[in-house]
Amino acid sequence: MSGFPRPPLGPDARAAAFPLGGIGTGTVSIGARGDLRDWELQNRPAKGTRLPFSFFAIRSARPGREAVTKVLEGPLTGPHEGDQGYDAGRLAGLPRLATSRMRGEYPLLFVDFTDPEVGVDVTLTAFTPLIPLDVDASGVPGAVLRYTVHNPTDERVDVTIAGSLANQVGITGWNVFHFPEYAGSPRNTWFEEPSLRGIEFANDLSADDLRHGTVVLATTDASTSAKPQWLSGFWQDGVQVFWDDLRADGRLDAETVFSLDEPPYPSWFTKLRVGSLAISHPLAPGESRDFTFLLTWHFPNRPRAWQGNIGLDNTNAGEVVRNHYATRFGSAVEVARHLVDTPGLEAGTRAFHRALFESSLPAEVVDAVSATLVALRSNTCFRLADGRFAAWEGSFDHSGSCEGTCTHVWNYAQAAAYLFPALERDARRTEFTRETRPDGRMNFRANSVFGNAAWDFHPAVDGQLGAIVRLYREWRFSGDDELLRDCWPGLRRALEFAFTEWDGDGDGVLDSKQHNTYDIEFFGPNSLANSMFLAALHAGARLADHLGETATAARWRSAADTGRARVDELLFNGEYYDQRLDDVDERRYQYGTGCLSDQVFGQLLAHLAGLGYVLPADHVRSAVAAVHRHNFRRDLSAHHSVQRTYALGGESGLVLCSWPRGGRPRIPFVYSDEVWTGIEYQVAAHLAYEGLVDEALELVRAVRARHDGYRRNPWNEAECGNHYARSLASWGVLVALTGADYHAPSGSLSFTPRLGPDLSAPFTTGTGWGVLRVSATGAELELLGGELALDELRVAHPLLGPLATGPVRLHPGQPLTLTATDHDRLEVSR
Amino acid sequence: MSGFPRPPLGPDARAAAFPLGGIGTGTVSIGARGDLRDWELQNRPAKGTRLPFSFFAIRSARPGREAVTKVLEGPLTGPHEGDQGYDAGRLAGLPRLATSRMRGEYPLLFVDFTDPEVGVDVTLTAFTPLIPLDVDASGVPGAVLRYTVHNPTDERVDVTIAGSLANQVGITGWNVFHFPEYAGSPRNTWFEEPSLRGIEFANDLSADDLRHGTVVLATTDASTSAKPQWLSGFWQDGVQVFWDDLRADGRLDAETVFSLDEPPYPSWFTKLRVGSLAISHPLAPGESRDFTFLLTWHFPNRPRAWQGNIGLDNTNAGEVVRNHYATRFGSAVEVARHLVDTPGLEAGTRAFHRALFESSLPAEVVDAVSATLVALRSNTCFRLADGRFAAWEGSFDHSGSCEGTCTHVWNYAQAAAYLFPALERDARRTEFTRETRPDGRMNFRANSVFGNAAWDFHPAVDGQLGAIVRLYREWRFSGDDELLRDCWPGLRRALEFAFTEWDGDGDGVLDSKQHNTYDIEFFGPNSLANSMFLAALHAGARLADHLGETATAARWRSAADTGRARVDELLFNGEYYDQRLDDVDERRYQYGTGCLSDQVFGQLLAHLAGLGYVLPADHVRSAVAAVHRHNFRRDLSAHHSVQRTYALGGESGLVLCSWPRGGRPRIPFVYSDEVWTGIEYQVAAHLAYEGLVDEALELVRAVRARHDGYRRNPWNEAECGNHYARSLASWGVLVALTGADYHAPSGSLSFTPRLGPDLSAPFTTGTGWGVLRVSATGAELELLGGELALDELRVAHPLLGPLATGPVRLHPGQPLTLTATDHDRLEVSR
């Protein structure tokens, strides 16, 4: 098992697929060999989709030697199986480069290629812009693929890099020969502008067809040649002529005929249209040069319905809604122009990358928080033309998994809240203004985003109450009073609902039928529901305070105080909190005396939202320590689970529940023996808050070691679907380790580093983001994006004690330094 | 790259899948870990299909220790990806045995399991009966899975082995959670007879439903317990209760209720029905004991049409035809009884296995000829109720590939001709009595087997003329004059057709538009078509002789003599035979001056059919040597192929064509740069006939090294589809190496060993089969099955010269010895 930082991945890291694409745009991935794979641009998952003849190639010519032309990928390492071997579209029979090494540092990917015959060294840098707080900048449907070629020889080398792409617009399916079939008529068109040239892949489908769209392969480079449309034919004429053309002189010629076959063509004549764009440059001895390609896409249309597996009402499915990006761009060409015209996109992306990857955070934490961001940019999430954010729980290989921005799954996610808080604010608005019924029951799956009928099912205790804490988190991070006012009536109903629905005996402890994220109902008092309830009461009270609803605030605070005592007395067993049932087997799917990994999840949300302890601190710490002690397995070989399996023999992981004191039910809750990365991160963040940093890091390492590129994809943590939203809990680990706490209404930002004394780590606030640096002599805050005006800045320095300053206004590029002298300026805390 | 014999495969040999099943029955495979995979029982391919909860488990209990229960499979080695991890049906979260080693010696599979915790050693032996010449014995829809458990300890060990199986009858598809959905109502039923007991998996679908069928998991063992139907439920109740039941005491209890959920059940309530059968025995210290399971199936119905990708007429597709095995068995229970009641099935199978695997043939040859037999027992081949044999070219993952028992692909196959000659005789009957038109054009894809309209396409020069040579082969091997008389009119028309259709200028050399196995047309004189023509002329003349049609015989023989001289003069370039075209690029898909691997394929068929040289021997030998020299690549890294890829960088293989003297067309024939195992075997057999044995073995090793279980499945050589028929050419290598030649009409059998002096190898004739053993002092023939009466037996002893005897009648178990003294009895050759 490799350590961290992760070593580069070899070409046999078959599980590795680094997705390119923005928020709400879909993705295409690059595999460990530098190969294009998993084309998922068309508003739904499509894992495993490979486009034929879609690849990059390199030709290098040195004086006096035969030119060398190869597919610009690492070697195919096998297994080599297929019912027709590798079909022709894979071009497995062409030479490839000798070695490839993939270094994925999301959002930047690097792949290094070497080959003695090719003679030059090549590094691919690929990315889609990602800039904290800027959803639009991070939501571009396209990517930059930059091949940096270095000539280490003492001779001139003439280099061509050619990108080829099959037209994917209108694909309806795949024939038995693994070639695509199409609706409409795909066509490839060359376009050329002063600062951009390339091939537009389109189709004559109508603009409101769900498959309508465009894809562009382009460059800003002026030294190009192209074959915008290969020869069409029954056989491989097109690719043979392309390859021979490229090998011959490194320059591509446009074909002068459509096909070598005479018309008329049969109805089943291929509609496959492949086009190639080549960039050529001579490289002097020692020279390095970039060969930059832009790959952009534009698939504007979605059905106006989830059409998911849960089966929410799909009445409007026949209508079309548009992606938000389609309101910004009219075509893939416009996207490409935007990438060319907006250099700040790359600069901001690189700044964010540096903030993370040049941080002093443990490498496994950087690996985790960066890689899991992919979930936000996968087909798991999307934005509609009206700006609405919506998401699945995850992505099945070929469809969304579990629709409706599920409150009890998204409950765990922290990345969006801290990096793209507008998305989470929008989700809260949906939940409280549209999905909370008059009686306070919140539909935990939102169907209002499509205007279809509300979902009718049990309310989810954890999701509903967690949404209240999260609304507080969003308001606190943004100071968005309009959001709060809009949501307040719903929040009030949703919180009151807990008393009537889930507190069967009115003693302030939730104890009736409680549907939850394990897709079953808990009965009787349990600390998952009640820790969430206590956190929600505190959050609600704080918001009531702000709105001047003092009676309500007092009542909820009082309920929290009462509940805290009762819950603690009822459920704390001296080591951890459990579920109290007379007969754990009276009903199925309970846990009873078990040690539940999520047992104080409500407390973690409270910590993140700055609510403090909602249960006694010593018991909370004992409980999370018990979770680590009992539920983390360094080797799962002896574990018996008949459930889904995300970690297995020889691997480490945190199980959802264990019964260290006996009492395992005959049939415990359905996921009890599983290992979920989202819960591992939830617990890791909480362990860090409780000062158990080594234990926290052990969990993070376990997750990321399982996702090593060989066994699983580092950029895909699956649960019920790929790119599962719960994995976004990972960002909470970073927040906990830095102890970052931003309170917009009061303009205060504070840090309580739990690593150090030296620390360098990114931070975000509602308006700006940057890097915190702590050294033995003080602390420094550098803003890298946005703006930040603070009334108060505090750093709990591990050696120097509390440092504070304020008011301050931070400007990008002008670091603010706090030294021990700032100690004097410490004010009394709010 | 591993040598031969192949070392056992470890659990990470993910490509390895050893199919169980008979001729025309479909298959289920066992993977390298001993896992059940690729359920393809239902009359169509279904690669990758895994049934949930279908596995074997072992429980061992030693005195004073906690019992150990594990899935009886080797460890899961990854990649571990899935959009929901491993779905619950995979049971990846249960412990598995520490090691597994797969030794596949088709038709016998052995998997050795060890595990220190389990304490006992287990070897699985699995097979479906395969007995040469006996199509029915080799066509049983079922398999034996025998777990031999050895107790190496000095304590008693109580062992239970439990097999679990999901009901697969009526499956219509798979939901997003990877669980099956069903038509009808699947049900599991316990049955018990004096010598057989088990679970029948059925469904209430009507008897003529295409999905109708039964599956049985049974045993002859009396010490059983069972849970014929697990609990049904929304979640994993059933498997949890099963696993806990097995762990508790190693005995299974039938469930007393259908489900823990109360009716009524929603329409989407799972129809999954899993059942388990356990065998339990105490093992004394040192004891070994068999735990034998029978797995049988019965899916009688097929649509009365190919419904293939070529698009032959499917008018009768709405009707149902039955598999031949359905005329022998009424249900899977009857199949199981047959296996129990017919001990000769295993005895004959083991005798065949010993004949091959205890032979002195090079291990790579044994590996090749045994493993490729799977094609005959895969879904590539089938038999209809009327006895008709029919086949695809191969099997796509989920449908047949290229329907109609294609004459130009099956042209290469030798295994059926020598092991199950009745199948090939039936194919000839179809070709010549039903598919040869009045004008002599043979439809090279047979649609008559389903009574649908004949296919209308170009005739295939190689397939049509090869069919003539093969009819001669079949007649010669069987002496079946009725077959000959029935086919003669068609043969005569088919051969005369060559003169009118393909000899444009009437010079006796075929030279007009010649469609062929490369799916294109050759133009002009070429030696593929003409060597086949010459072989067909000789075959036709021999048959005409036999029928007393002396004028016809003389005319064809004369044409062969003329043609031989003209072809040789026209096409032999001093090293090999090529294609003569003024401008190789005037038409696409030619080869011109290329060195075609198939250039003297007709000569190979002539050798196999005992026709002697149809072209000058020295030129033939030069040509096949040139094929090896120019077309065999020890490392394909520098090969540029834009076609399908069956062998790639770092591997060895024989390309279909090369241009050692230049002259490669701009667009050569579409498969020219590919590597096909069927042609590698064709050439290997020919190299052996020409005495180039080292070169022949090098080709065979290359093929089998590529199919090493890690990169590709040893038991699946794919071309246009899995289990591709052309791979059955492999048996020709065995025939060539032994020089076996059986001539039924004259009752003569001779051998010309090309290995030795010591040799032990299987042989077959039309009526009996056995082993030939040659040693320094003589030769010995042992019959192992059937009967054999010979007028003459000859062995060309490598040291002693020709040995001969006769007439003799061989009886199984009574070897016939030929020593040097038999030399005196040598008669003049016919």
Side-chain angles (χ1 to χ4, degrees), chain A residues 29-100:
Chain A
S29 294
I30 293 186
R33 301 184 296 99
D35 50 313
L36 293 165
R37 53 178 286 187
D38 300 325
W39 291 89
E40 310 184 80
L41 311 180
Q42 300 194 35
N43 301 315
R44 57 186 298 145
K47 284 281 181 260
T49 302
R50 285 194 183 264
L51 287 179
F53 307 126
S54 299
F55 69 109
F56 286 84
I58 184 168
R59 179 184 186 277
S60 76
R62 288 186 272 183
R65 304 195 202 190
E66 195 179 355
V68 175
T69 308
K70 299 195 175 195
V71 175
L72 187 37
E73 298 177 358
L76 288 156
T77 60
H80 298 305
E81 292 211 308
D83 62 2
Q84 293 147 72
Y86 286 97
D87 56 83
R90 293 291 299 276
L91 293 175
L94 289 178
R96 279 164 168 75
L97 276 71
T99 69
S100 62

Side-chain angles (χ1 to χ4, degrees), chain A residues 80-81 83 237 588 713 721, chain B residues 81 83 237 397 588 713 721:
Chain A
H80 298 305
E81 292 211 308
D83 62 2
D237 301 357
R588 272 173 292 166
N713 185 0
Chain B
E81 293 210 307
D83 62 2
D237 299 358
D397 284 346
R588 272 172 292 166
N713 185 0

Side-chain angles (χ1 to χ4, degrees), chain A residues 713-729:
Chain A
N713 185 0
W715 301 282
N716 176 10
E717 295 188 2
E719 191 189 307
C720 189
N722 299 301
H723 308 298
Y724 200 72
R726 203 182 324 257
S727 67
L728 294 165

Side-chain angles (χ1 to χ4, degrees), chain A residues 182-492:
Chain A
Y182 296 82
S185 299
R187 56 184 154 73
N188 305 351
T189 312
W190 176 252
F191 71 95
E192 197 159 345
E193 303 175 354
S195 61
L196 189 68
R197 68 215 64 208
I199 306 167
E200 182 186 55
F201 300 83
N203 192 307
D204 65 357
L205 293 165
S206 73
D208 60 353
D209 192 292
L210 286 176
R211 294 195 178 89
H212 165 72
T214 48
V215 175
V216 157
L217 180 65
T219 182
T220 56
D221 205 310
S223 181
T224 61
S225 62
K227 194 187 287 292
Q229 187 160 304
W230 292 5
L231 285 172
S232 279
F234 294 102
W235 301 109
Q236 314 315 336
D237 301 357
V239 61
Q240 183 73 66
V241 170
F242 160 74
W243 191 249
D244 291 345
D245 186 5
L246 179 63
R247 285 182 83 182
D249 61 2
R251 291 270 163 182
L252 299 178
D253 299 315
E255 297 293 344
T256 55
V257 297
F258 167 68
S259 172
L260 299 178
D261 292 292
E262 297 295 322
Y265 304 109
S267 60
W268 45 268
F269 195 76
T270 182
K271 290 182 176 178
L272 180 65
R273 303 288 177 259
V274 184
S276 301
L277 168 65
I279 303 173
S280 302
H281 289 290
L283 267 77
E287 185 181 356
S288 285
R289 176 148 200 159
D290 289 342
F291 294 64
T292 301
F293 294 84
L294 304 177
L295 173 63
T296 62
W297 57 90
H298 190 267
F299 289 95
N301 300 334
R302 295 176 165 271
R304 191 171 170 226
W306 287 101
Q307 296 183 310
N309 57 293
I310 302 291
L312 274 57
D313 173 64
N314 290 312
T315 300
N316 298 328
E319 298 174 28
V320 166
V321 291
R322 295 172 76 218
N323 281 317
H324 183 263
Y325 74 69
T327 66
R328 303 169 56 212
F329 310 108
S331 70
V333 173
E334 289 186 21
V335 178
R337 282 184 203 128
H338 178 73
L339 281 173
V340 172
D341 296 344
T342 322
L345 293 173
E346 177 165 355
T349 302
R350 288 189 176 270
F352 175 62
H353 169 261
R354 281 194 303 274
L356 262 178
F357 286 88
E358 294 177 5
S359 80
S360 71
L361 291 169
E364 60 268 34
V365 172
V366 175
D367 187 63
V369 302
S370 61
T372 50
L373 289 181
V374 168
L376 282 175
R377 309 221 286 182
S378 71
N379 277 293
T380 296
C381 299
F382 56 95
R383 297 171 73 201
L384 298 179
D386 61 6
R388 203 76 55 80
F389 171 72
W392 304 81
E393 293 181 14
S395 297
F396 293 137
D397 283 346
H398 299 282
S399 59
S401 164
C402 302
E403 60 267 37
T405 329
C406 175
T407 64
H408 62 66
V409 168
W410 279 87
N411 223 13
Y412 294 76
Q414 302 300 333
Y418 291 92
L419 284 173
F420 302 105
L423 302 181
E424 289 282 356
R425 290 200 301 273
D426 187 65
R428 296 300 86 71
R429 188 178 294 275
T430 297
E431 287 156 5
F432 288 103
T433 68
R434 294 165 174 262
E435 299 288 351
T436 301
R437 297 176 182 239
D439 68 355
R441 172 160 67 115
M442 181 185 291
N443 310 310
F444 68 80
R445 299 187 187 278
N447 211 9
S448 58
V449 287
F450 290 114
N452 292 306
W455 190 47
D456 190 22
F457 194 69
H458 307 299
V461 66
D462 48 350
Q464 176 157 343
L465 298 175
I468 292 167
V469 187
R470 293 184 287 143
L471 176 60
Y472 175 67
R473 177 189 66 189
E474 271 59 281
W475 169 78
R476 193 170 184 272
F477 204 64
S478 65
D480 185 341
D481 279 345
E482 183 185 340
L483 172 75
L484 174 58
R485 278 192 299 272
D486 291 347
C487 292
W488 175 252
L491 182 150
R492 190 177 174 129

